[in-house]
Amino acid sequence: MAGGGDELKLLGLWASPFVLRVKLALSIKGLSYEDVEEDIFGGKSELLLNSNPVHKKVPVLLHNGKPICDSQIIVQYIDEAFPGSGPSLLPTDPLERAVARFWAAYVDDKLLASWLQSGKSKTEEEKAEAFKQTLMAVENMERTFNECSKGKPFFGGDSVGYLDVTLGGLVAWLHAAEKLHGVRLFDATRSPLLEAWLERFGELEAVKVVLPDVDSLVEYAKQRQAAEAAAAADAGGN
Amino acid sequence: MAGEKKGLQLLDFWVSPFGQRCRIALDEKALPYEYLEQDLGNKSELLLRSNPVHKKIPVLLHDGRPVCESLIIVQYIDEAFSSSSGKPPLLPSDPYARAQARFWADYVDKKVYDCGTRLWKTKGEPQQQARKEMVEILKTLEGALGDKPYFGGDEFGFVDVAFVPFTAWFLTYERYGEISVDKECPRLAAWAKRCGERESVNKNLSPPEKVYEFIGTLKKKFGIE
């Protein structure tokens, strides 16, 4: 439970992996919050635009009305502002913290970026290149899991840590992408440790409670694709 | 272990604003370190071993163990040497203030270098676009600074360290982008001057004319006219 007098409000989008990351952190830390769904494509709320004027994006966490933006910054904030609640997400050792931050940045800057690019690519060539980059990133994450976990179940060791939560934001989409495209990004031959981690992570109560429904995500992806195609056609695009 | 030496070593490139962040942080904490200039056209074994994922500078080696990514390095320096240096922390202790600091440092990371590069790499319409964006970016940062002497408040802090190396690039932005930082963002210009009076900054920033010269050389090298 959030401490006495602590009001937490999360401005989000149910399908966003970045928002999911924050929900995972809140859930793992046992913190209650008001979940506010933003109509991102229909019209962002006044509250969102005022809370994140620079990027105008979700997630935004409001703690007693004060906004914190950017999923990784929010997760670190949750860890630091509620030290008594649940496990510590970031390790205490400065070098281990630096390693966790490095790989968390890598998840977004390399793994997710190339994966999204492979979805957005217009030519087969671009798509293939982006997917190749994605697989290389998966290989790196597999190696990182091996080094960070040291044989234990999570990146954080015995309990879930910062890197588990960061990568955890992608979990629902990993399953959805498999249903949509038949591609299993964390698979038994390429990345057996990550495949096992994915299963294990998904089984945690704190995770199950916030994971969006995979079939709904698949529907959502199809709707978004149709909407984007229609907008491109309207704009006279290709 | 990437290297074997005891103590601190910084793998860096003289004009890199990212590397300079680390040098400033190390000097702010009065930490002795060995500076190792890297040849980015012919990367050393040590660099490739220390940062196999990105193969980039800066890399901080602490007793041979590498820390990569400039803002992560700065946080590491702040955390690993918080008690031993006896100097004030770069990141504030209040979680909300820390989140704000991380947000603005991240903003500098995502926006300034990229837009600045487009200013000198492109011409015509893309350059005009970059010019507009740069003014917006600088004004946004000036807004975040407000009336405070530093982004950190009364004390020079994390965001100041993150952004100050780019002040050496203002002259380059001005010449290629026809932007006058003094005119468009006077408070930011004043902040830059104030920071420049600190020894750690004064010692580690490249002289603006040298940066401009360096970009001129790069342009020729890439055949950009």
Side-chain angles (χ1 to χ4, degrees):
Chain A
M1 277 295 175
D6 274 311
E7 198 192 274
L8 288 169
K9 193 188 289 207
L10 176 63
L11 307 182
L13 167 65
W14 70 273
S16 160
F18 305 102
V19 173
L20 177 57
R21 201 175 268 168
V22 176
K23 289 185 178 176
L24 287 167
L26 289 164
S27 181
I28 287 159
K29 299 283 274 183
L31 297 165
S32 54
Y33 59 99
E34 186 190 344
D35 190 359
V36 177
E37 187 71 10
E38 283 283 330
D39 183 4
I40 296 295
F41 302 106
K44 296 172 182 176
S45 73
E46 269 304 302
L47 182 58
L48 174 59
L49 297 175
N50 290 335
S51 306
N52 191 355
V54 174
H55 300 303
K56 306 178 175 55
K57 285 182 171 175
V58 291
V60 175
L61 182 71
L62 291 151
H63 184 190
N64 294 332
K66 285 157 69 172
I68 302 111
C69 309
D70 189 275
S71 66
Q72 294 203 20
I73 293 175
I74 297 171
V75 171
Q76 288 188 74
Y77 175 78
I78 290 167
D79 203 32
E80 293 172 358
F82 300 95
S85 289
S88 245
L89 295 175
L90 269 157
T92 37
D93 173 67
L95 190 65
E96 284 176 27
R97 290 160 75 89
V99 170
R101 286 175 177 141
F102 176 88
W103 289 107
Y106 186 85
V107 167
D108 280 349
D109 298 340
K110 298 288 175 188
L111 176 60
L112 187 56
S114 38
W115 194 27
L116 287 173
Q117 189 55 41
S118 68
K120 277 194 265 185
S121 293
K122 301 231 159 77
T123 69
E124 275 313 306
E125 225 169 65
E126 272 175 27
K127 206 183 172 91
E129 179 56 36
F131 194 65
K132 197 174 118 197
Q133 295 296 323
T134 311
L135 293 183
M136 265 168 58
V138 172
E139 211 180 285
N140 279 330
M141 288 311 300
E142 174 83 357
R143 202 170 21 242
T144 299
F145 183 81
N146 193 25
E147 285 165 14
C148 289
S149 65
K150 305 197 212 326
K152 297 196 174 159
F154 301 105
F155 285 95
D158 285 312
S159 63
V160 166
Y162 185 62
L163 204 38
D164 297 280
V165 170
T166 304
L167 191 58
L170 277 58
V171 163
W173 277 105
L174 286 167
H175 292 305
E178 194 178 345
K179 287 204 166 177
L180 276 163
H181 308 297
V183 179
R184 199 175 165 79
L185 212 56
F186 293 175
D187 82 351
T189 24
R190 253 193 314 259
S191 48
L193 295 176
L194 286 176
E195 194 197 33
W197 169 85
L198 185 60
E199 171 117 23
R200 195 182 303 129
F201 187 76
E203 283 301 303
L204 294 170
E205 275 315 311
V207 173
K208 278 204 272 207
V209 136
V210 293
L211 271 187
D213 174 60
V214 176
D215 290 323
S216 304
L217 269 186
V218 170
E219 261 322 294
Y220 174 85
K222 291 184 179 155
Q223 280 170 21
R224 285 304 315 150
Q225 214 166 27
E228 271 154 36
D234 282 345
N238 60 333
Chain B
M1 295 277 171
E4 286 161 23
K5 275 191 100 153
K6 280 253 152 213
L8 293 165
Q9 295 171 291
L10 184 68
L11 308 183
D12 201 349
F13 181 64
W14 69 277
V15 77
S16 163
F18 305 100
Q20 287 164 0
R21 287 169 169 172
C22 307
R23 291 176 239 168
I24 291 168
L26 287 161
D27 282 352
E28 282 287 320
K29 302 274 185 184
L31 294 167
Y33 68 98
E34 187 186 359
Y35 178 90
L36 295 170
E37 178 74 8
Q38 299 299 298
D39 179 357
L40 298 181
N42 183 18
K43 292 177 181 177
S44 69
E45 258 309 298
L46 183 59
L47 175 57
L48 297 174
R49 252 185 307 137
S50 307
N51 191 356
V53 173
H54 300 303
K55 304 176 173 60
K56 285 181 170 179
I57 56 92
V59 179
L60 180 74
L61 293 162
H62 186 191
D63 294 341
R65 296 162 82 188
V67 181
C68 306
E69 297 293 296
S70 62
L71 291 182
I72 294 177
I73 295 171
V74 172
Q75 287 185 82
Y76 174 77
I77 290 166
D78 207 32
E79 293 172 1
F81 299 95
S82 57
S83 45
S84 58
S85 74
K87 307 281 174 172
L90 292 169
L91 265 166
S93 47
D94 170 64
Y96 189 75
R98 289 161 76 85
Q100 294 308 297
R102 286 177 176 137
F103 177 88
W104 288 109
D106 184 60
Y107 181 85
V108 173
D109 251 8
K110 283 193 168 78
K111 302 278 187 182
V112 180
Y113 187 71
D114 216 71
C115 188
T117 301
R118 279 183 285 132
L119 265 180
W120 61 261
K121 256 194 176 167
T122 65
K123 291 212 102 86
E125 184 50 46
Q127 193 185 41
Q128 282 310 308
Q129 183 58 32
R131 190 194 164 280
K132 250 177 60 194
E133 273 177 49
M134 183 54 89
V135 173
E136 213 182 285
I137 290 164
L138 293 175
K139 287 197 170 188
T140 303
L141 284 164
E142 189 178 57
L145 176 66
D147 290 319
K148 308 191 295 290
Y150 299 105
F151 282 92
D154 287 321
E155 298 288 339
F156 185 76
F158 189 62
V159 182
D160 304 283
V161 173
F163 188 34
V164 79
F166 291 95
T167 61
W169 293 67
F170 283 175
L171 180 71
T172 302
Y173 300 157
E174 282 170 9
R175 288 189 184 159
Y176 285 108
E178 289 166 16
I179 301 170
S180 165
V181 180
D182 280 331
K183 260 208 238 108
E184 301 274 5
C185 305
R187 266 180 294 139
L188 207 59
W191 164 83
K193 200 154 163 270
R194 189 177 303 123
C195 290
E197 286 158 12
R198 293 181 87 79
E199 203 188 322
S200 67
V201 174
N202 193 8
K203 183 177 149 211
N204 292 304
L205 255 49
S206 303
E209 284 291 352
K210 286 272 174 217
V211 174
Y212 181 69
E213 218 176 271
F214 173 75
I215 292 300
T217 316
L218 266 194
K219 277 175 75 104
K220 279 204 198 88
K221 194 165 141 189
F222 290 123
I224 305 167
E225 208 17 81

